Amino acid sequence: MNLKVFYCDKLFLGVDSFNIECGLSTPNIEEANINQMMLSMSKRVIAVFDSSKCNKRSFAFIAPVDKIDFSDCHGGVSNFHRQEVFRPCIS
């Protein structure tokens, strides 16, 4: 099945790694390719991850942070790190 025939208003994208400089990434190359395609077919992208994924970088690049409309991070993020990590997503 070809994902290019689908469109979505909101994409909730679970990510393995989130880094301000390096963007979103995953250790799986095939997953990165599918995620890139899904991003291109979506109006809004919400990245979902927990605090253990912050400031990490994995093998396969998905997208830069500026391609994300909103981030939802669960648990364990200090106020300072929350401001730094989410600054591109909030502005």
Side-chain angles (χ1 to χ4, degrees), residues 13-37:
L13 184 66
V15 296
D16 295 289
S17 305
F18 182 95
N19 185 289
I20 294 295
E21 291 84 26
C22 303
L24 308 174
S25 58
T26 179
N28 187 309
I29 295 171
E30 290 179 30
E31 181 180 340
N33 287 330
I34 291 169
N35 289 343
Q36 289 170 351
M37 187 180 314

Side-chain angles (χ1 to χ4, degrees), residues 19-90:
N19 185 289
I20 294 295
E21 291 84 26
C22 303
L24 308 174
S25 58
T26 179
N28 187 309
I29 295 171
E30 290 179 30
E31 181 180 340
N33 287 330
I34 291 169
N35 289 343
Q36 289 170 351
M37 187 180 314
M38 291 168 42
L39 278 161
S40 71
M41 304 307 286
S42 302
K43 286 184 183 178
R44 295 194 64 189
V45 179
I46 297 102
V48 181
F49 52 94
D50 65 42
S51 61
S52 70
K53 311 298 194 231
C54 293
N55 298 317
K56 305 282 187 201
R57 184 177 74 178
S58 291
F59 178 68
F61 174 76
I62 298 170
V65 173
D66 65 358
K67 296 293 183 187
I68 304 305
D69 297 304
F70 181 77
S71 294
D72 186 14
C73 182
H74 297 285
V77 179
S78 69
N79 285 337
F80 171 77
H81 285 104
R82 185 176 300 278
Q83 289 174 355
E84 286 301 309
V85 168
F86 299 120
R87 182 173 305 165
C89 306
I90 294 172

